[in-house]
Structure formats: structure tokens, C-alpha cells
Amino acid sequence: MNLPLHCLRSSRLISAYTPRASFRRPILLTYQRPIFLSHKTNLQARPLSMSSPSAPSSSSPRALSPTSQNALAAHFASLHIPGTPLLLANAHDIPSAHAVLSHPRAQALATSSYGIAGTYGLADEDLSLTQLLSGFREIARVALPRGKPLTVDAQDGYGDVRGTVRGIVEVGAVGCNLEDAVSGETPRMKTVEEAVAAIREAKEAAREMGVPEFVVNARCDVLHFGGGLEDAVSRGKRYLEAGATTVFVWAGQKRGLRDDEVRRLVEELRGMVNVRMVLKEGYLGPKELAELGVARVSVGPDLYHLQVEALGKAVGMVLGSN
């Protein structure tokens, strides 16, 4: 789940998503359930993409040789530069992956688990690991022939970080987001020790498959669960020490972060911070985000939402307005 980072300036919302002029507009897009089917639909529902992915299996051949994949991972890691951030547009299916990588400035490709869930007509939390890996495999078919690094959303690791990462490496990805909160009926934060162990397991699993340069973007939800900035800083440092390349601090849909908090995170975490940009007019763009000193910028499920919105407008042209 690629959820956004808020930022406040003093008592006003600004950050990665705040309008340039007023610096007062909220920096979040509202998250809604996917609209295609009920989230209670059959988990084997066919994804709405150009082709139907086959479920991965332990016998599936690797998409890349270990040597080639590790070189691609090292290249991907080198793109994370504080003040000159890596810009990632998150794809959710084959068409969106083609759209992203058709742009000449696209350096890499990221995924959105929320968007992939939407192609199945599911809520993010209802997406199975098998379905998620199948979605990754389809997107990898677009990224790998172009020689572009692919990073994916591993959510909380599905209770088996090592196995999840092995599946991710198998499809050809060279990085993943890994959350420190456990989703489900009773969401909770992992302890620091649990979260650190998960990052180490992810790195070790990739190392065992010949990809020691595998990139982990560690998401920290402690502010969302009522912790303070010092907790986020402390966790972030531990996550970087454990092998994460960057830290994505998410404060939840209401709390937000002030710009001084973002700068503090950048200072304390040596700039290895990921923020999310909202794709709407009037919100901060890549230049402004770079000035905050971050190393990575992503857009979460925004491409998915925009695609659904565009389809709705096209349908209206055919069938008429409501």
C-alpha cells in the first residue's frame, strides 16, 4: 500500500501535496474502494488488464539471471540521491506500465498494490499474495525487456517476508516496499525488533537468490498509530541500519507532517526519505520536492484513480450524463 506522506508548515498543510500558492490545501487524495466489483467477490476474479496473469509457482523460471538482476538492483539503488530524487510513477497493469515507460525520462517502474487490487475488483487488504505476484509478473513483462528496474509493493510481507521476497525476485523485481504495520481486522504496529528482522529477512532472501543489492523502501506507520516524530526518526535509523535504502514515513490521513518535520527526517536519515506526490494541479511537483532534500518520490495509486476517472468520462460520452 503506497499511502501518502503529509506535511504541515507550522499549523498549515504544505508538503509534497500542498498547493504552491496558498499552502493550505490538504495533501491527500481520498482513498476509495475499487469500483469494479465488490471487495467480497471471488478471489479468482480475472484482473482487468490486457492479459490475464497466470499464478506464479515455485517451479516458475526466473525472469533474469542473478548477475543481471543484481546489476540492475545496484543501478536502481544508485538512483536514490537526496536532493535529486528518483521519480517513480506507480503502475498497476500492462497498459499503465507501458504508459510510464514510454516516457523518455522514466528511469524505473514502481507498482501500486492498491491499483493491482483494483484490477481484480478487490480492496487492497483482500488481495492475496498469489494475485499480487501475478500482477507483478505482468508488469515485469513491460519493464524487463526495456532494461528498467522494477520495484514492487510487498505490503507487510504477508506473514512470510522471506517467501514473499523470493517470489518478488523470481519475477524480476529489484526492490520492494515493506510496511512495519500488520494489516487485517486488527491492524497493529510491528515492534521495532519485528520490523528490523523483516527488513533483514528481505535482504537475506534476496541475497540467497544472488541479488544482495536488492532495494528495500521501509514504510514507517508509527505516526499513524499515535507515535511521535522521535519514534519515526528512531525507527527510520534502525531500518536503514538493517539494510533499507530509504524510509517512507506515513502519518495517516488526518495527522499530516509539518515541513520542518520532513526536513528533520531528511536531516536525521541522511536524506534517504521517500515522499508521495499528488497528481493534481496546484500541488508541489518534483522541483519543490527535491528542495526538501528527499531521495525518492512516488505517486501511489494515483494513476489507477486517474485511469478509472478517464474511463468514466468516456463511458459518459457514449451513454450520456447521469
Side-chain angles (χ1 to χ4, degrees), residues 160-180:
D160 179 11
V161 172
R162 186 177 296 272
T164 297
V165 170
R166 289 183 67 86
I168 286 170
V169 171
E170 181 184 272
V171 305
V174 297
C176 75
N177 281 20
L178 189 60
E179 302 169 11
D180 64 358

Side-chain angles (χ1 to χ4, degrees), residues 37-57:
L37 299 169
S38 165
H39 72 286
K40 297 183 182 298
T41 191
N42 185 345
L43 291 183
Q44 298 306 314
R46 185 174 180 175
L48 301 178
S49 65
M50 290 181 65
S51 61
S52 179
S54 57
S57 69

Side-chain angles (χ1 to χ4, degrees), residues 8-176:
L8 293 164
R9 181 167 186 164
S10 298
S11 61
R12 298 177 296 171
L13 286 166
I14 71 163
S15 149
Y17 326 117
T18 325
R20 295 182 177 85
S22 67
F23 293 101
R24 294 187 181 184
R25 190 174 302 171
I27 57 182
L28 258 194
L29 288 181
T30 301
Y31 279 77
Q32 301 175 342
R33 285 190 181 279
I35 67 169
F36 298 114
L37 299 169
S38 165
H39 72 286
K40 297 183 182 298
T41 191
N42 185 345
L43 291 183
Q44 298 306 314
R46 185 174 180 175
L48 301 178
S49 65
M50 290 181 65
S51 61
S52 179
S54 57
S57 69
S58 58
S59 60
S60 299
R62 285 185 62 165
L64 292 173
S65 71
T67 300
S68 297
Q69 193 165 1
N70 194 52
L72 194 61
H75 168 64
F76 181 56
S78 74
L79 299 176
H80 295 71
I81 304 172
T84 309
L86 170 64
L87 306 177
L88 293 169
N90 303 68
H92 51 274
D93 59 8
I94 289 177
S96 59
H98 275 298
V100 173
L101 293 183
S102 292
H103 195 290
R105 294 184 182 177
Q107 295 180 290
L109 185 64
T111 70
S112 162
S113 65
Y114 183 101
I116 292 174
T119 68
Y120 284 92
L122 298 173
D124 200 5
E125 61 268 22
D126 293 333
L127 187 67
S128 72
L129 177 59
T130 296
Q131 290 167 321
L132 188 63
L133 290 173
S134 294
F136 295 162
R137 191 178 299 278
E138 291 294 273
I139 293 170
R141 288 172 53 196
V142 180
L144 300 186
R146 301 177 188 229
K148 298 295 185 180
L150 173 64
T151 184
V152 300
D153 187 353
Q155 307 225 58
D156 61 8
Y158 284 89
D160 179 11
V161 172
R162 186 177 296 272
T164 297
V165 170
R166 289 183 67 86
I168 286 170
V169 171
E170 181 184 272
V171 305
V174 297
C176 75

Side-chain angles (χ1 to χ4, degrees), residues 188-212:
R188 69 171 181 86
M189 283 293 296
K190 296 177 183 177
T191 65
V192 175
E193 289 72 23
E194 287 176 322
V196 166
I199 293 169
R200 288 176 175 162
E201 282 184 29
K203 292 288 291 183
E204 181 61 28
R207 186 177 299 109
E208 290 172 352
M209 295 189 73
V211 191

